[in-house]
Amino acid sequence: MGLKERNHKSLDTEKSKSLDAGNIEEALTATGFGRYNFGLLLICSWTLQAMGMDLFGTSFVVAAAVCDLQLTMQQRALLTAMPLVGVVAGAQLWGYISDTKGRRLTLVLSMSVGFVFAALSSFAPDWKSMAVLKLISSTFTSASNSGAYTLLGESCPERARGRSMLLCTCSLMCSQAVVAVFAYPILPLKFVYWIDFLSITYRPWRLLALVMSLPCAATACLLQLFHESPKFLVSRGKTEQALEVLKKIYAINTGNSPSNFPITKLIVDADQTVTREDSFVKAMWEQTVALFRPPMLRETLRLFYLVTVIYMTGSGFILWLPYIMNNLFSVLEAGGGDGMNLCTVIRYSTGQTDGNDTMIPEPCNDTIQETTLLSAMMYGALASSSNLILSLTCGGKKRVAMMGILAMSAVAGVLLNLVRIPIAGGIFFFFFLMCALSMGILSVYFVELYPTHLRGMASCLSVMLGRSSAFLGVSAIGALISANCEATFYGWSLLLVTAIGFSWYLPRDKKPAE
């Protein structure tokens, strides 16, 4: 009997010792998943949505400002794509700041400054000054493209990480739909105010640009309520500070006292900390080069190819959504479109031909059809609900889910050419854009496959590459559709098929620790 008691006591002692010390993943698991994580999920989602509105909402503003700013087709394409240039310009810098100064600081700073320049763009006197202001604002707000995912992923237990990040993507997917919701009551307004000292006419599209900037300011304020990533603090050697943050997260999630947190000491592996401080340029170079050396080289090349294809398709074509849908519904409301596929509708409505080789004049038109705004809302609802279902069901099947999404998008790109029913072409175009659902899955891979001290740089470089690809896509799509619309969609579908092949070689999903 005495022996049993001694054995039982020794087991309890070992159990208590195992709870006294643990690594960062065990500590995050001990915090649970509760109110703090739900709140952070909400704010990170809103931050991504604010960035998405700044990037993709420009297409609605530009469409409504065509006559005021006297935009040609080339100027319209350049102004629409300018926010993507800002993403490329700031990506590597934000990756360095995120990995060395902190995820939360990066987000607060970038969203605050981004708000100022986004708001100023609504007062731009001409398209050139507006392009410069949007370039600067997007350079700052783009930091949230990786910072929000990284902060969220590094602040929750492994078992909930992938699902939380995919849920976060829902808000980004519906950002253009949210802009359409704001545009629906604002753009039909008829007010006109002359501002003498700026020499501009203040019209509804300028108000829309101002309204789109407000979420950036709101998220910058709300992020102050949350803590820095404990994983980041550990990577910088601040284990005591990380432990304090973990205790606070535990207290908020469970309602218990921070002193009841079961782990009192963090065990840190040597490869989890980066204590050496190099010069700015050298440190940024070392972080970048490390991604292209073994053992990360193969995964980096594979993921970066997928980023190129998915962003070129999803982000490239989404910025042309108002233009394509406006043309589609203009033709349908005029009673045309019989026997036309989507490409024929676009040629018909842009004055290239009416089907009988008769040219149709194209007067300046800055009216956005009500049905165009409604279709953008429908696409946002479809994309967000699909992403929600994906995040709740794909679990340990991210790789299979990505291949399925890319296959669906490739098939839709072929069908919108083959089916000669205009409204069906519009629906297939929606499904073609659905390859953007893969962006959330890619963000999970960037968090899972890279060590903490390289994660911010890897994410930001992927954003830089993705938005560069999107910029090239946006710039080329207008010319390609005008030259040979059908071949454009066939070629893009083939590109998506190659991405399916690359997805096949992604790492198999591992079962998260309970």
Side-chain angles (χ1 to χ4, degrees):
M1 188 70 179
L3 181 60
K4 284 185 179 180
E5 286 179 357
R6 281 197 298 273
N7 287 340
H8 184 68
K9 193 171 182 179
S10 65
L11 286 173
D12 286 343
T13 303
E14 284 182 24
K15 186 176 180 182
S16 66
K17 282 182 179 178
S18 69
L19 290 176
D20 284 344
N23 61 32
I24 185 63
E25 286 294 349
E26 290 169 339
L28 283 170
T29 300
T31 63
F33 190 88
R35 287 176 295 176
Y36 180 87
N37 303 102
F38 284 117
L40 186 60
L41 172 61
L42 183 62
I43 297 306
C44 287
S45 298
W46 199 11
T47 303
L48 280 171
Q49 189 175 89
M51 179 212 67
M53 291 172 68
D54 187 46
L55 294 183
F56 305 121
T58 306
S59 57
F60 288 101
V61 173
V62 171
V66 166
C67 298
D68 266 6
L69 300 181
Q70 299 178 346
L71 299 175
T72 64
M73 189 59 136
Q74 291 77 13
Q75 291 168 347
R76 179 175 178 167
L78 182 61
L79 188 53
T80 300
M82 190 55 67
L84 301 176
V85 180
V87 176
V88 176
Q92 196 169 16
L93 174 63
W94 289 122
Y96 171 79
I97 294 174
S98 176
D99 281 341
T100 57
K101 305 302 179 185
R103 322 304 194 193
R104 192 188 70 155
L105 174 66
T106 299
L107 290 173
V108 172
L109 174 64
S110 62
M111 299 307 284
S112 300
V113 180
F115 157 70
V116 173
F117 285 96
L120 288 175
S121 71
S122 68
F123 298 96
D126 53 54
W127 77 271
K128 291 180 180 178
S129 57
M130 186 177 185
V132 171
L133 290 168
K134 290 302 296 181
L135 172 66
I136 298 172
S137 75
S138 60
T139 299
F140 281 90
T141 59
S142 64
S144 64
N145 210 341
S146 61
Y149 282 122
T150 308
L151 178 62
L152 177 64
E154 292 181 349
S155 301
C156 65
E158 184 182 11
R159 62 183 173 81
R161 190 169 298 148
R163 186 167 295 175
S164 298
M165 294 175 68
L166 286 172
L167 283 170
C168 197
T169 307
C170 290
S171 60
L172 183 59
M173 297 295 298
C174 71
S175 56
Q176 197 172 46
V178 173
V179 175
V181 170
F182 285 119
Y184 192 81
I186 291 175
L187 290 182
L189 299 175
K190 302 298 183 183
F191 67 81
V192 177
Y193 298 111
W194 173 254
I195 301 178
D196 193 53
F197 74 96
L198 291 175
S199 298
I200 64 170
T201 302
Y202 202 88
R203 294 186 60 210
W205 66 265
R206 294 184 182 274
L207 176 60
L208 177 61
L210 179 62
V211 169
M212 288 195 318
S213 70
L214 296 178
C216 295
T219 52
C221 295
L222 290 170
L223 280 164
Q224 304 280 356
L225 302 174
F226 294 87
H227 303 292
E228 181 55 84
S229 156
K231 276 196 170 184
F232 167 78
L233 294 173
V234 168
S235 75
R236 305 308 294 179
K238 302 177 180 179
T239 53
E240 291 300 322
Q241 192 175 339
L243 190 58
E244 289 302 313
V245 169
L246 289 164
K247 288 179 179 179
K248 291 174 182 177
I249 295 174
Y250 167 79
I252 296 171
N253 282 344
T254 63
N256 297 329
S257 170
S259 60
N260 292 336
F261 188 54
I263 292 177
T264 58
K265 183 181 179 182
L266 286 175
I267 300 172
V268 183
D269 298 330
D271 61 350
Q272 288 182 318
T273 60
V274 180
T275 56
R276 185 186 54 159
E277 292 292 343
D278 291 319
S279 66
F280 170 77
V281 175
K282 186 177 180 182
M284 197 157 65
W285 171 255
E286 285 297 327
Q287 281 184 298
T288 303
V289 171
L291 301 176
F292 296 94
R293 291 174 180 155
M296 305 310 310
L297 175 61
R298 185 175 296 179
E299 299 302 339
T300 298
L301 294 178
R302 189 177 296 133
L303 287 173
F304 277 19
Y305 179 78
L306 290 170
V307 164
T308 301
V309 174
I310 291 168
Y311 275 77
M312 187 182 290
T313 308
S315 295
F317 277 93
I318 192 66
L319 287 170
W320 285 96
L321 175 67
Y323 174 78
I324 292 175
M325 289 295 107
N326 221 36
N327 288 337
L328 173 62
F329 289 115
S330 294
V331 170
L332 291 177
E333 289 180 11
D338 291 341
M340 296 183 183
N341 64 10
L342 185 63
C343 285
T344 308
V345 168
I346 294 171
R347 285 193 292 270
Y348 183 94
S349 61
T350 54
Q352 293 181 39
T353 177
D354 66 354
N356 298 313
D357 295 327
T358 303
M359 296 303 294
I360 302 172
E362 186 182 7
C364 179
N365 180 18
D366 60 3
T367 301
I368 298 181
Q369 299 286 334
E370 183 178 299
T371 44
T372 299
L373 296 174
L374 291 173
S375 67
M377 295 179 205
M378 288 172 59
Y379 169 74
L382 177 63
S384 297
S385 57
S386 299
N387 196 79
L388 180 62
I389 294 170
L390 180 69
S391 62
L392 295 175
T393 58
C394 81
K397 299 179 181 178
K398 297 188 295 295
R399 175 175 150 274
V400 174
M402 178 175 284
M403 290 191 292
I405 292 166
L406 294 173
M408 175 188 69
S409 186
V411 171
V414 173
L415 290 177
L416 65 83
N417 279 336
L418 298 179
V419 177
R420 296 189 170 275
I421 304 172
I423 197 66
I427 293 171
F428 286 130
F429 182 65
F430 277 7
F431 282 100
F432 178 71
L433 294 176
M434 282 296 180
C435 72
L437 290 171
S438 301
M439 294 178 187
I441 299 176
L442 280 175
S443 68
V444 177
Y445 277 115
F446 275 104
V447 169
E448 288 185 349
L449 298 181
Y450 290 94
T452 305
H453 66 281
L454 296 176
R455 196 169 290 152
M457 181 61 74
S459 297
C460 283
L461 282 179
S462 74
V463 171
M464 182 172 73
L465 176 64
R467 299 310 180 191
S468 298
S469 305
F471 175 76
L472 292 175
V474 171
S475 303
I477 285 167
L480 290 173
I481 286 179
S482 298
N484 195 327
C485 180
E486 284 85 354
T488 300
F489 283 105
Y490 283 134
W492 239 279
S493 296
L494 181 61
L495 200 61
L496 290 168
V497 171
T498 66
I500 296 172
F502 274 77
S503 300
W504 175 262
Y505 292 100
L506 286 171
R508 302 297 195 269
D509 295 307
K510 61 181 180 179
K511 198 170 183 180
E514 292 295 334

